[in-house]
Amino acid sequence: MANKHDVRRDFERIGNWVDTRSRVLDLGCGDGDLLDYLHTVKQAQGVGVEINDERVIACVKRGVNVIQQNLDEGLAMFGDQQFDTVVLSQTLQAVHQTEHVLLEMVRVARMGVVSFPNFGYWPHGWSILRGRMPVTGQMPYAWYNTPNIHLCTLKDFEDLCDKLGLRIVERVTFGPDKEVKWLPSWRATLALYRFTAAAQPSKQASDVGVLA
Amino acid sequence: MVTAISTRNIEPTQSNSPRTDTTPTDSNPTDTNATPEASVGIVQTQYVEFDQPLLLASGQQLERYTLAVQTYGTLNADKSNAVLICHALNASHHVAGVLADDPKEVGWWDNMVGPGKPVDTNHFFVIGVNNLGSCFGSTGPASIRPDTGKPWGAAFPVVTVEDWVMAQARLADRFGIDRFAAVMGGSLGGMQALSWSITCPERVRHCVVIASTPRLSAQNIGFNEVARRAIITDPEYHGGDYYAQDVVPKRGLSVARMIGHITYLSDDDMAEKFGRTQRAPSADGDWHYGYDVEFEVESYLRYQGEKFSKYFDANTYLLITRALDYFDPARHAAGDLTKALAGVQANFLLVSFSTDWRFPPARSREIVKALLNNATPVTYAEIDAPHGHDAFLLEDARYHAVVRAYFKRIAQEISHEVSHGQ
């Protein structure tokens, strides 16, 4: 669903946000690479959720604890505030129950982290102007076989957070080669957010500029 | 705490060193990579005798008892590579390999345990043990009672999963094993593994619970009760003391097995295997309009029931179904499974199967949820397999890949500790 280059930078930034030895839940954890990385750099105690058999086996092979479950069936298995951080890395756009999953994230963890491909990336608009659905390195699928059913732009996502009462603590945007800060709505291929439930006072609130 | 090992049928081994079976394929124990799968070969049973009384959950006491045991692979120097396999209702200590006198008698989990198999005996020392009250060599209702010289029959005490674990723990002592690399089982065997992690937390490094449940449902108990009534109301049951009459309540036991068997299979599985196929239709394909076997499924169940009644002891069936009914570790924690599992030290692997309606995935998820609540490391695989409860005994590439990968991690963990002198 994404090119490898972006995944790594995604990881580094998430690694900076995760406290040492904290508990991390990774939704749609794939082959467990992020949790493996967070364990290496932060000794994080990770749990992954994954539906795909092959990826579950890959997790077990690398020693990542994984729960085989469909995200759209909800996070009922997880108790309130059981984790410090819950991550939904490049999976949001493939989730059916988007609102429910975002709300569940702030129920099971203090901090939510979401990354997704930015549909507002300017070549996508160019592609649509030429009459074609965009197919890029970030979203390499054709319209008829894409798992990405809920694509959005930065603004779309921020509006949804607003509607759901989620407070965005920090946003990082990446272009094809590096982090972009100027005109991210057009220039970013990948957006990374961390957020909390609005009602919950956040330790990070004061030291980070609130975006959106 | 335990007396020196004494064995029957084979020569006594000295001190605590356990005997391993001669395995023709056990030739390359250091190869950590994929070795071709093979059988552990011809296996032998050892009968380990205990003469220290075992106090049971019921308050009764077993003065002395024997456990039938098989082992595969080699116990390493620091005795850290032992895996205990716990059996379900109708199985035994014969987990893998074949018997010398009957090469067709393949162990019940032979596809799981052996050289190069998911539980790889090139790396692990695997113990299969027949539970107390069973009928395959361990002391049970059909055994001769030392004080009377007659079979125990109905007088054999009711035993629980916890009692089995205590007896197995004494067996571990006998082998000099302080801590198992893993305790593993499917169905009722999974309950024993779970019980191990609760009752002897420091003795279990990994707990592998497959197609199991933290307690039986009313429906599960209902099926067990039907089975027991079938046995107990058989005129040849004689209050459990049928041995003296030289008969067995085979009709009741057959029916018990038939109903049990239905609960092991999925509806789809039965539809595919038998559908509504007629056994021997009339010439014109019409019904026989009677009550003898009409459908294939009837013939199959009758055959399974009759076969079972010839080798399984009816009292053992009663005893084991009751042990199933009574299993409920949360009972001692006011019904709170999270609390019941609060003290476990093991890491967990749980596996369930989508079409298992006897112990469905939701039951395994309850255990997973309780473990997550306690921040206990747990991996859970939910295998989409068509074979119902029986899937845990069958070969499925995904299921076996998960177990294989998990046991590889355990093997790495152990060798890492050995190399670091821990």
Side-chain angles (χ1 to χ4, degrees), chain A residues 23 47 65, chain B residues 341-342 344-348 368 370-379:
Chain A
R23 294 195 76 197
V47 178
N65 291 313
Chain B
L341 291 170
V344 306
Q345 295 174 26
N347 290 10
F348 278 73
V368 174
L371 293 167
L372 286 167
N373 285 339
N374 291 323
T376 302
V378 53
T379 280

Side-chain angles (χ1 to χ4, degrees), chain A residues 23 45 47 53-54 56-57 60-69 73 76-79 82-83, chain B residues 348 365 368-369 372-384 397-398 401-402 405-406 409:
Chain A
R23 294 195 76 197
Q45 303 301 306
V47 178
D53 289 326
E54 293 311 314
V56 166
I57 292 162
V60 180
K61 277 187 179 159
R62 71 201 303 168
V64 166
N65 291 313
V66 60
I67 309 296
Q68 186 164 29
Q69 210 198 349
E73 284 168 18
M77 188 105 82
F78 305 99
Q82 206 171 66
F83 296 89
Chain B
F348 278 73
R365 283 192 220 121
V368 174
K369 190 175 190 327
L372 286 167
N373 285 339
N374 291 323
T376 302
V378 53
T379 280
Y380 171 58
E382 202 170 294
I383 306 292
D384 186 14
R398 296 155 300 168
V402 167
Y406 195 81
R409 297 293 304 190

Side-chain angles (χ1 to χ4, degrees), chain B residues 79-406:
Chain B
K79 303 184 175 186
S80 62
N81 70 333
V83 174
L84 179 69
I85 305 275
C86 305
H87 70 75
L89 207 166
N90 60 326
S92 72
H93 54 288
H94 180 34
V95 176
V98 292
L99 301 180
D101 54 352
D102 188 357
K104 277 191 226 156
E105 277 297 317
V106 180
W108 59 270
W109 224 352
D110 192 70
N111 60 24
M112 184 65 85
V113 176
K117 290 183 180 172
V119 181
D120 190 342
T121 51
N122 289 329
H123 302 292
F124 294 103
F125 175 69
V126 179
I127 302 174
V129 53
N130 189 214
N131 283 326
L132 278 180
S134 183
C135 50
F136 297 107
S138 294
T139 302
S143 307
I144 301 298
R145 193 174 172 169
D147 52 349
T148 63
K150 289 178 182 161
W152 278 92
F156 194 84
V158 170
V159 298
T160 64
V161 169
E162 288 76 14
D163 294 333
W164 285 334
V165 169
M166 287 304 132
Q168 291 161 0
R170 287 190 179 175
L171 180 67
D173 294 340
R174 201 64 76 83
F175 281 109
I177 296 159
D178 292 331
R179 192 183 182 204
F180 281 106
V183 179
M184 174 182 191
S187 191
L188 175 59
M191 295 178 186
Q192 291 161 63
L194 186 62
S195 182
W196 259 96
S197 76
I198 297 168
T199 53
C200 309
E202 69 294 337
R203 302 192 73 171
V204 188
R205 187 190 283 268
H206 290 271
C207 185
V208 181
V209 178
I210 297 169
S212 194
T213 176
R215 80 193 76 77
L216 293 205
S217 65
Q219 187 190 53
N220 293 146
I221 295 170
F223 279 116
N224 282 349
E225 175 61 2
V226 172
R228 283 189 295 264
R229 293 310 296 166
I231 293 167
I232 290 170
T233 58
D234 185 319
E236 294 193 311
Y237 179 64
H238 297 289
D241 295 316
Y242 45 86
Y243 313 99
Q245 321 283 326
D246 211 23
V247 291
V248 289
K250 54 181 182 301
R251 281 165 294 181
L253 187 54
S254 295
V255 172
R257 175 60 171 174
M258 286 166 80
I259 189 141
H261 205 99
I262 296 168
T263 70
Y264 304 147
L265 305 175
S266 71
D267 192 18
D268 285 351
D269 204 20
M270 290 184 88
E272 185 165 325
K273 265 196 186 119
F274 315 108
R276 293 178 53 83
T277 307
Q278 284 168 264
R279 176 69 180 161
S282 314
D284 57 356
D286 200 2
W287 307 125
H288 294 289
Y289 297 100
Y291 302 105
D292 211 345
V293 166
E294 183 81 71
F295 296 97
E296 278 291 356
V297 64
E298 296 170 314
S299 162
Y300 173 82
L301 289 173
R302 285 192 193 193
Y303 171 76
Q304 291 296 333
E306 273 166 40
K307 192 175 79 171
F308 187 73
S309 70
K310 284 178 189 144
Y311 72 87
F312 205 84
D313 181 59
N315 280 318
T316 290
Y317 204 89
L318 300 181
L319 178 145
I320 296 185
T321 54
R322 209 38 146 180
L324 274 158
D325 293 352
Y326 285 157
F327 181 70
D328 184 8
R331 182 178 151 91
H332 308 296
D336 186 340
L337 189 61
T338 299
K339 272 192 198 145
L341 291 170
V344 306
Q345 295 174 26
N347 290 10
F348 278 73
L349 171 66
L350 282 100
V351 181
S352 73
F353 301 93
S354 56
T355 56
D356 181 353
W357 59 278
R358 184 179 169 87
F359 299 151
R363 297 286 84 76
S364 288
R365 283 192 220 121
E366 281 181 53
I367 302 173
V368 174
K369 190 175 190 327
L371 293 167
L372 286 167
N373 285 339
N374 291 323
T376 302
V378 53
T379 280
Y380 171 58
E382 202 170 294
I383 306 292
D384 186 14
H387 301 295
H389 188 60
D390 259 357
F392 88 89
L393 293 168
L394 304 174
E395 262 190 89
D396 178 289
R398 296 155 300 168
Y399 161 41
H400 278 194
V402 167
V403 176
R404 181 186 297 276
Y406 195 81

